[in-house]
Amino acid sequence: MATYGPDQFISSKGKSLIIRNLTQDDASVFIEFRKQIAHETTNTYQYVGQETLPEDQIARKLAAAVSDSIHLNLGVFDEKKLIGQLNFRPVIPGHPWVKHVGEFGMMILKENWGQGIGRRLLMIQEQHALECGVTRIEAAVRVKNERGTRLYQSAGFEIEGTRKAAALIQGEFQDEYYIAKRLGNMD
């Protein structure tokens, strides 16, 4: 079972935050978090007006993630408010050829950008990946997301390619980078 925390984290602005697994009890705050993200940025796959699963179905998905040994679904809380999330999972669950590969997505509310939260989540993810035998971590990041790209590169991720016109946002095609980080000795 993949679990983490609760762990106290002090942001660069001195704010005391808690990082822990999201559980089924967090379904309602997770729904609100995703709605707020959709209004703040186009750097994620959340969008305004996006239909969401009913709260009970989200609760079941969050509970299932906790019972999986590789899947890690972290939440960053400022008191009871969810302000950040990282979801790490196998790229193809159970496939023997890619059992060493994990992928992730991360979202942080805009007012909390630049406070070290993303870097801390990436560190936790890397430690967890190594503990469960994952030696390659992948993600996609929009080319226009310069802040995110800088964070990932400073954390050791490399740009391995570009998906041209990967998203069509407000009538404009946007490219995405494929990024990856290899852990340990893979040569």
Side-chain angles (χ1 to χ4, degrees):
M1 177 159 64
T3 60
Y4 184 84
D7 183 30
Q8 183 180 25
F9 171 72
I10 306 297
S11 76
S12 63
K13 289 193 174 180
K15 192 181 289 186
S16 178
L17 306 171
I18 297 295
I19 302 174
R20 64 169 173 78
N21 278 90
L22 289 172
T23 69
Q24 62 191 22
D25 296 335
D26 298 314
S28 63
V29 295
F30 182 65
I31 291 167
E32 291 308 310
F33 169 77
R34 286 175 46 173
K35 286 179 184 175
Q36 186 172 345
I37 286 284
H39 283 280
E40 292 183 352
T41 183
T42 59
N43 292 339
T44 74
Y45 287 108
Q46 311 308 309
Y47 60 91
V48 175
Q50 182 175 15
E51 288 190 33
T52 186
L53 294 173
E55 187 174 327
D56 64 324
Q57 288 183 31
I58 297 231
R60 283 196 295 276
K61 284 182 172 256
L62 291 172
V66 172
S67 67
D68 182 299
S69 64
I70 297 176
H71 195 154
L72 187 63
N73 199 358
L74 297 174
V76 181
F77 291 85
D78 182 358
E79 298 184 13
K80 293 183 188 268
K81 183 175 182 177
L82 181 62
I83 63 164
Q85 186 249 354
L86 181 138
N87 183 287
F88 174 81
R89 59 211 168 265
V91 69
I92 303 175
H95 196 293
W97 299 345
V98 291
K99 65 183 179 184
H100 68 289
V101 182
E103 63 183 359
F104 77 98
M106 181 168 57
M107 304 181 286
I108 298 169
L109 295 180
K110 195 170 189 174
E111 69 184 77
N112 297 281
W113 291 359
Q115 295 184 38
I117 297 166
R119 183 169 307 282
R120 179 68 182 138
L121 289 173
L122 293 173
M123 289 171 53
I124 295 166
Q125 170 185 255
E126 187 172 325
Q127 178 183 353
H128 170 73
L130 287 169
E131 289 171 0
C132 59
V134 172
T135 55
R136 178 182 167 86
I137 302 173
E138 303 175 339
V141 61
R142 299 241 164 74
V143 170
K144 285 190 169 197
N145 183 358
E146 294 173 4
R147 176 187 288 272
T149 301
R150 279 193 309 273
L151 168 64
Y152 298 133
Q153 288 180 309
S154 72
F157 285 84
E158 296 179 14
I159 297 171
E160 294 187 336
T162 303
R163 288 178 61 205
K164 298 292 186 181
L168 178 60
I169 301 172
Q170 300 166 350
E172 179 186 347
F173 285 107
Q174 293 190 21
D175 298 344
E176 289 181 347
Y177 291 130
Y178 280 117
I179 61 168
K181 182 174 183 177
R182 294 173 23 173
L183 310 176
N185 186 5
M186 292 182 64
D187 296 324

